[in-house]
Amino acid sequence: MLEQVKDFASHFFVTGDPLIYGADVSIVVVSLAIIFVLTYFKRWGWLWREWLTTVDHKRIGIMYLIAALLMLFRGGVDGLLMRTQLALPNLHFLEAEHYDQIFTTHGTIMILFMAMPFIFALFNIVVPLQIGARDVAFPYLNAISFWLFFFGALLLNISFVIGGSPDAGWVSYPPLAELGFDPGPGENFYLLAILISGIGSVATGINFMATILKMRAPGMTLMRMPMFTWSVLVTSMIIIFAFPALTVALALLFIDRLVGAHFFTLTGGGDPMQFVNLFWIWGHPEVYIVILPAFGVFSEVVATFSRKRLFGYSAMVASLVLIGIVSYLVWVHHFFTMGASADVNTFFAIASMVIAIPTGVKIFNWLFTMYKGRIRMTMPMLWTIAFVPCFAIGGATGVMLAVAPADYQYHNSYFLIAHFHQVLIGGVVFGMLAGMYYWWPKMFGFKLDERIGRWAFWFFNIGFYVCFMPQYALGFMGMTRRMYTYPEGLGWGPLNFISTIGAYMMGIGFIILVWDIVYSIRYGERDLTGDPWDGRTLEWSLPSPAPHYNFARIPVVTGRDAWWIMKYQMKPEERPDLGPIRPIHMPKNSGRPFIMGVAFFVSGFGFVFNWFVPAIAGLVVVVLCLILRSFEYDAEYYIPVHEIEETEAALGRL
């Protein structure tokens, strides 16, 4: 045990790097500031009652959103550090090992701990309101999902200052990620953080699939659902089948590292290619897990701000389902260069091209929806329109990469870097920001300031093209991925410098976005109607923010764009009688999901350093929480009619 403590101490003081010390100091200062504020204003009880123990889907969605923005900052700082290192030839702003850690955590955080919580934020905030439900199907499980994500993200992020970050790339291929080549705790942080948060992701997929299939308001058939809800349904199905492959791959790799097994070592009878296949069986569907909700956002935004029904609704649904199916048939294009047969490469090349067709259908449907519409250039619409050319370029370069012989030239070059950032930033980040601006009034009761938002938009968008367009050329010029420095004389310096300028412009855009939020908290236009955009779907029929029970009476849906029909196409006397207000059955808050998250964190931290006492103790607490839950019979309550009426009257709805 003493030797383990010594190892921990040596890992804690990783290096003399000022970046590490700066992070240590900032973490301590911020933590003390938070503790001081909560203590001074006596808000500890409020924090526990209202947030840490909540099972309200709206509050869980807000916590996901805050976490996603924090992770966007962390991942963005990593990106800026890399771009600073590559701005000029022969720089040593970062040493090779530190650079390896940063590009590993950058990719991991942006995909799994920024994009995933961002889409889960919108799942939680929007879906129950759009389908006329009072909560998700399993509110308690929803809280567990969030806290597993949160503490998984925390486990990965503390690796920067305790023990050392993972450095085997965000894909962590063996044998590089095996114990013999990567003996530090960094890779353990990576494996356990994703395993813990991945459990929550699978639970979220199950939860929202059940919610959408079983809790829709009367009259809301599948073909009357809003397009965002459709995108969440398909995404949830992909999550359920894709994430177990990642969980198995990471669990087997962790067993290799923990007890010396040989699942992925050739000398021990294992096969590293098996890990590669399992990883990308998850990895390429993951691209669609994060992009399909963005497509749903764009569909809602385009219809609302064009004041038209979405063009080609049935085709849009069919394309979503087709993307969900074909997303499982393209994973091998990530390793065309690893020696598969011509027949295998041909099949996956064709599948990779075919999946571009339903995506193209969507873009044309959005354009036709805008055609002859009365378009309002609000912030959500700006982000949506910016997405179209950006994603078109990303799709075109994706088809280029799908050509197996050409991929031999593009693979592992900066052309590939530019392509997937074009798709993931231009698709996912643009989509999530469009959704954030669109549903922000519904979350908080006020709009984000449009004037400041436009400054953020233009800095981010111009910076995006300045950053990534040169990288296509760098790829053609032979610059490969994962280079931490390069010599003079190759002609790469000017383009890298331009790319770095673009990255800093994007960083400025993010800072302005944060300022927009801070400014709007005090000065933003208040939403007094619940329908600031003149929306089309049911969430806009509620006050902003919505009461904790959502609907005093469950609505009856008579067609697509249910709220639009109620507002403009249905006379008051034609509206169905919803009956009197009745007591509403709701789940009670619980602190057990938070405790389970802490227990998983303690267990994961113990396994990182092979400290089996806290590792096992954490798992015992998890099991104990599960047992206690199974004997909990008083987990719901009824909101009495008089309380509902008082709330509705205060909101001006009675």
Side-chain angles (χ1 to χ4, degrees):
M1 184 68 180
L2 182 61
E3 290 301 316
Q4 290 176 323
V5 173
K6 289 180 179 178
D7 288 343
F8 174 76
S10 66
H11 287 308
F12 187 92
F13 301 103
V14 184
T15 67
D17 193 322
L19 289 173
I20 301 292
Y21 289 143
D24 290 338
V25 171
S26 64
I27 289 171
V28 171
V29 170
V30 170
S31 299
L32 290 175
I34 292 171
I35 292 170
F36 172 79
V37 169
L38 290 172
T39 303
Y40 183 80
F41 291 103
K42 299 179 181 179
R43 304 297 279 177
W44 286 105
W46 166 84
L47 180 66
W48 176 256
R49 291 188 305 272
E50 301 296 329
W51 293 97
L52 300 185
T53 63
T54 187
V55 296
D56 184 348
H57 68 95
K58 299 179 290 298
R59 295 197 171 194
I60 289 172
I62 289 169
M63 291 192 291
Y64 268 124
L65 177 62
I66 294 170
L69 291 173
L70 289 172
M71 291 298 99
L72 182 57
F73 171 76
R74 165 69 204 277
V77 170
D78 284 346
L80 289 177
L81 291 173
M82 288 189 288
R83 286 311 322 161
T84 303
Q85 167 64 22
L86 294 170
L88 296 170
N90 296 316
L91 278 185
H92 289 279
F93 171 70
L94 301 174
E95 295 305 319
E97 175 65 16
H98 198 181
Y99 186 86
D100 287 349
Q101 293 179 3
I102 286 175
F103 80 67
T104 299
T105 55
H106 172 74
T108 306
I109 285 171
M110 287 302 206
I111 294 291
L112 288 156
F113 298 111
M114 185 282 290
M116 291 299 292
F118 222 142
I119 68 168
F120 289 162
L122 298 187
F123 283 21
N124 276 278
I125 292 159
V126 178
V127 169
L129 304 184
Q130 280 199 336
I131 65 174
R134 290 194 169 115
D135 209 318
V136 296
F138 309 112
Y140 184 88
L141 182 62
N142 198 27
I144 292 174
S145 297
F146 171 75
W147 291 115
L148 292 187
F149 151 75
F150 177 86
F151 284 105
L154 181 62
L155 187 64
L156 181 73
N157 277 275
I158 65 169
S159 68
F160 185 68
V161 292
I162 300 177
S165 297
D167 57 4
W170 85 275
V171 294
S172 284
Y173 288 168
L176 180 60
E178 293 280 8
L179 198 59
F181 295 95
D182 195 352
E187 184 63 21
N188 292 343
F189 274 117
Y190 167 94
L191 294 170
L192 289 157
I194 299 176
L195 283 169
I196 291 169
S197 65
I199 297 169
S201 297
V202 173
T204 298
I206 294 169
N207 208 343
F208 278 88
M209 185 177 71
T211 300
I212 294 168
L213 292 179
K214 301 299 291 183
M215 297 185 68
R216 301 189 307 279
M220 183 172 282
T221 62
L222 288 176
M223 294 307 289
R224 287 178 177 176
M225 290 196 311
M227 192 54 62
F228 180 75
T229 299
W230 256 113
S231 73
V232 173
L233 177 60
V234 176
T235 299
S236 298
M237 292 178 176
I238 300 175
I239 287 172
I240 291 168
F241 290 102
F243 262 86
L246 177 68
T247 300
V248 168
L250 298 183
L252 294 178
L253 181 56
F254 180 67
I255 291 170
D256 274 8
R257 293 176 59 85
L258 183 68
V259 298
H262 297 286
F263 290 109
F264 303 123
T265 53
L266 281 173
T267 54
D271 184 359
M273 274 303 299
Q274 187 64 26
F275 178 92
V276 177
N277 275 284
L278 286 171
F279 183 91
W280 287 113
I281 285 171
W282 162 81
H284 206 87
E286 167 66 11
V287 174
Y288 297 101
I289 287 170
V290 294
I291 198 65
L292 289 185
F295 289 171
V297 170
F298 296 137
S299 299
E300 302 294 338
V301 168
V302 166
T304 295
F305 296 110
S306 300
R307 289 182 65 86
K308 286 177 62 181
R309 292 187 78 183
L310 188 67
F311 180 88
Y313 177 91
S314 299
M316 294 282 272
V317 171
S319 64
L320 277 172
V321 174
L322 184 60
I323 289 172
I325 295 170
V326 181
S327 69
Y328 287 100
L329 305 177
V330 297
W331 82 88
V332 173
H333 76 219
H334 288 277
F335 44 97
F336 276 150
T337 60
M338 291 190 183
S341 68
D343 290 341
V344 170
N345 282 355
T346 299
F347 173 85
F348 285 96
I350 293 171
S352 301
M353 297 176 194
V354 164
I355 205 166
I357 296 172
T359 305
V361 167
K362 291 184 168 299
I363 290 178
F364 281 109
N365 282 6
W366 294 320
L367 293 175
F368 282 128
T369 302
M370 287 186 271
Y371 179 64
K372 290 188 177 181
R374 287 178 281 174
I375 297 174
R376 291 174 287 159
M377 295 303 294
T378 60
M379 284 307 306
M381 196 65 174
L382 276 176
W383 284 107
T384 299
I385 291 175
F387 150 83
V388 174
C390 189
F391 202 78
I393 296 170
T397 54
V399 173
M400 293 171 66
L401 288 161
V403 180
D407 187 70
Y408 274 75
Q409 303 301 316
Y410 306 138
H411 190 79
N412 265 356
S413 76
Y414 258 72
F415 183 92
L416 181 61
I417 296 281
H419 159 72
F420 68 68
H421 282 88
Q422 188 98 40
V423 173
L424 291 174
I425 295 178
V428 180
V429 177
F430 285 19
M432 295 303 102
L433 291 177
M436 185 186 79
Y437 271 94
Y438 183 58
W439 282 299
W440 188 275
K442 189 54 57 183
M443 288 183 271
F444 299 107
F446 62 90
K447 290 183 180 180
L448 292 175
D449 185 80
E450 293 267 329
R451 179 178 56 85
I452 300 174
R454 288 171 192 269
W455 279 99
F457 171 83
W458 286 113
F459 263 100
F460 199 93
N461 271 267
I462 295 171
F464 172 81
Y465 286 101
V466 173
C467 181
F468 292 107
M469 290 299 109
Q471 293 182 16
Y472 286 112
L474 286 167
F476 287 133
M477 294 167 69
M479 185 171 178
T480 57
R481 303 167 66 182
R482 307 182 182 95
M483 296 181 69
Y484 92 101
T485 191
Y486 53 93
E488 292 189 56
L490 297 176
W492 300 348
L495 289 175
N496 271 302
F497 188 75
I498 293 169
S499 181
T500 300
I501 291 173
Y504 274 89
M505 290 178 68
M506 293 171 68
I508 293 170
F510 178 79
I511 292 171
I512 297 173
L513 174 67
V514 173
W515 171 244
D516 192 6
I517 294 172
V518 173
Y519 176 87
S520 300
I521 289 172
R522 184 168 183 180
Y523 300 108
E525 177 187 341
R526 266 42 194 175
D527 175 16
L528 303 178
T529 66
D531 189 12
W533 308 121
D534 195 15
R536 308 180 71 85
T537 46
L538 283 177
E539 71 270 28
W540 303 112
S541 68
L542 294 170
S544 299
H548 63 287
Y549 51 77
N550 295 346
F551 296 90
R553 302 178 183 87
I554 297 298
V556 174
V557 174
T558 58
R560 271 191 282 130
D561 294 340
W563 177 232
W564 189 266
I565 292 172
M566 293 178 193
K567 285 192 296 185
Y568 296 117
Q569 298 178 13
M570 187 182 290
K571 297 177 182 178
E573 61 271 15
E574 295 175 342
R575 295 183 181 181
D577 181 14
L578 302 180
I581 294 176
R582 295 182 174 87
I584 296 175
H585 183 246
M586 296 294 290
K588 289 182 178 179
N589 286 353
S590 174
R592 206 172 293 120
F594 178 81
I595 294 170
M596 287 182 66
V598 173
F600 267 110
F601 176 83
V602 171
S603 180
F605 192 83
F607 277 120
V608 164
F609 293 99
N610 294 336
W611 293 358
F612 294 109
V613 172
I616 294 172
L619 293 179
V620 168
V621 173
V622 171
V623 173
L624 182 61
C625 287
L626 295 173
I627 293 172
L628 290 174
R629 175 64 178 179
S630 69
F631 289 100
E632 185 177 18
Y633 301 107
D634 185 26
E636 298 89 19
Y637 72 105
Y638 280 92
I639 305 175
V641 171
H642 71 85
E643 183 177 329
I644 302 168
E645 290 176 340
E646 289 172 2
T647 302
E648 293 293 300
L651 294 169
R653 297 173 62 82
L654 282 183

